[in-house]
């Protein structure tokens, strides 16, 4: 399984776009990139996932580089409720989803 | 009611005691997982099961055992608890990857906080 690395923390002003990076340089061709977030100590929640193409849903956008060695999760208009720990993970077909240590995102009013 | 239910939510026990954490799900998923979370270390996979007859070790299985009693139930046991097993434990489920509409999303329970004194 690919290892993922993320910055430990980031701040973002409320209303601005939050861009959270993730490196997964050892990802293989059939491994998906997943993003989850965890608010306080609740169970993590799925945000989005992708393989090669950029993806967008109602929560966020996922930008994957052409070589697939890194990706960026974009929260387009961050709100205070987006303050959480964001985890990048990679696997194949969800057999063994391996999480990184996450980025603690703080939205500043 | 939650789709993935963990019991107990909080437990304090002593070194050497046997502890069982239980997980049940109403989502009808075949795959179930146990993760451990320590502060600053993210989520680590302990065991996972693809169906009732399939059990696999994860990254940190030493000191733990599991039982898949039914499709809906997956229990984690600590045969002889030790203080460094103090952590937040999460159960998760996912659907068997079988179609283009399957996101492979993991559904997590609310966690079981275990303290071993």
């Amino acid at each position: 399984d690919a290892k993922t690395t993320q910055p430990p923390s980031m701040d973002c002003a409320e209303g601005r776009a939050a861009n959270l990076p993730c490196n997964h340089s050892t990802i293989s061709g059939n491994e998906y990139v997943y993003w989850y977030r965890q608010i306080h100590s609740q169970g993590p929640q799925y945000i989005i996932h992708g393989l090669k193409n950029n993806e967008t849903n109602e929560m966020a956008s996922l930008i994957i580089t052409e070589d697939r060695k890194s990706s960026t999760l974009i929260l387009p208009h961050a709100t205070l409720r987006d303050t959480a720990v964001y985890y990048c993970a990679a696997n194949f077909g969800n057999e063994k989803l391996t999480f990184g240590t996450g980025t603690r995102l703080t939205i500043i009013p | 009611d939650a789709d993935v239910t963990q019991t107990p939510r909080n437990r304090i026990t002593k070194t050497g005691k046997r502890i069982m954490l239980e997980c049940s799900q109403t989502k009808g998923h075949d795959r179930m997982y146990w993760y451990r979370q320590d502060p600053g270390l993210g989520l680590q996979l302990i065991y996972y099961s693809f169906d009732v007859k399939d059990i696999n070790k994860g990254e940190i299985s030493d000191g733990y055992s599991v039982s898949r009693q039914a499709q809906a139930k997956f229990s984690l046991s600590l045969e002889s608890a030790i203080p460094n097993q103090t952590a937040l434990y999460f159960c998760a489920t996912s659907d068997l990857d079988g179609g283009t509409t399957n996101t492979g999303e993991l559904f997590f329970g609310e966690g079981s906080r275990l303290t071993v004194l």
Side-chain angles (χ1 to χ4, degrees):
Chain A
D1 291 336
K3 298 288 185 184
T4 64
T5 56
Q6 302 174 252
S9 64
M10 294 181 63
D11 293 339
C12 179
E14 187 178 17
R16 305 298 291 268
N19 296 278
L20 293 95
C22 178
N23 286 321
H24 31 79
S25 58
T26 60
I27 198 169
S28 62
N30 56 7
E31 287 189 320
Y32 286 78
V33 178
Y34 285 79
W35 283 84
Y36 286 75
R37 76 176 181 184
Q38 185 178 29
I39 298 173
H40 298 301
S41 295
Q42 298 174 13
Q45 295 176 297
Y46 165 86
I47 300 173
I48 199 167
H49 79 292
L51 182 63
K52 295 180 181 178
N53 300 321
N54 298 337
E55 302 287 345
T56 295
N57 63 20
E58 64 278 6
M59 292 181 66
S61 294
L62 174 61
I63 308 297
I64 302 174
T65 58
E66 190 170 345
D67 62 9
R68 302 205 334 114
K69 293 185 176 182
S70 66
S71 61
T72 300
L73 178 74
I74 301 173
L75 308 177
H77 304 287
T79 71
L80 297 178
R81 288 177 294 181
D82 292 322
T83 292
V85 178
Y86 288 77
Y87 292 100
C88 170
N91 69 0
F92 170 65
N94 212 28
E95 290 183 358
K96 291 191 297 178
L97 193 61
T98 302
F99 289 81
T101 54
T103 296
R104 182 172 298 277
L105 175 67
T106 301
I107 306 301
I108 309 298
Chain B
D1 289 341
D3 294 322
V4 183
T5 303
Q6 294 183 229
T7 56
R9 295 291 311 280
N10 288 284
R11 182 72 183 269
I12 300 173
T13 191
K14 295 182 179 180
T15 297
K17 294 291 187 180
R18 183 178 187 273
I19 294 297
M20 178 180 286
L21 305 180
E22 299 185 339
C23 178
S24 63
Q25 51 116 345
T26 58
K27 300 195 71 69
H29 288 168
D30 287 314
R31 299 184 174 196
M32 298 187 74
Y33 307 77
W34 275 104
Y35 285 89
R36 167 179 170 159
Q37 186 173 42
D38 297 284
L41 293 181
L43 292 157
Q44 297 174 283
L45 182 61
I46 307 173
Y47 270 96
Y48 60 105
S49 170
F50 287 167
D51 64 36
V52 175
K53 297 181 180 179
D54 181 79
I55 303 290
N56 304 280
K57 293 183 177 180
E59 305 166 79
I60 56 163
S61 59
D62 288 347
Y64 302 94
S65 63
V66 291
S67 174
R68 185 81 184 266
Q69 301 95 323
Q71 185 204 38
K73 296 185 182 295
F74 192 36
S75 299
L76 176 72
S77 293
L78 289 69
E79 296 299 327
S80 180
I82 57 177
N84 74 2
Q85 291 177 312
T86 293
L88 184 57
Y89 292 85
F90 286 103
C91 175
T93 75
S94 72
D95 202 355
L96 183 64
D97 187 15
T100 57
T101 60
N102 178 26
T103 66
E105 177 182 355
L106 284 175
F107 294 86
F108 284 86
E110 287 304 306
S112 295
R113 186 172 296 281
L114 177 65
T115 302
V116 184
L117 302 176

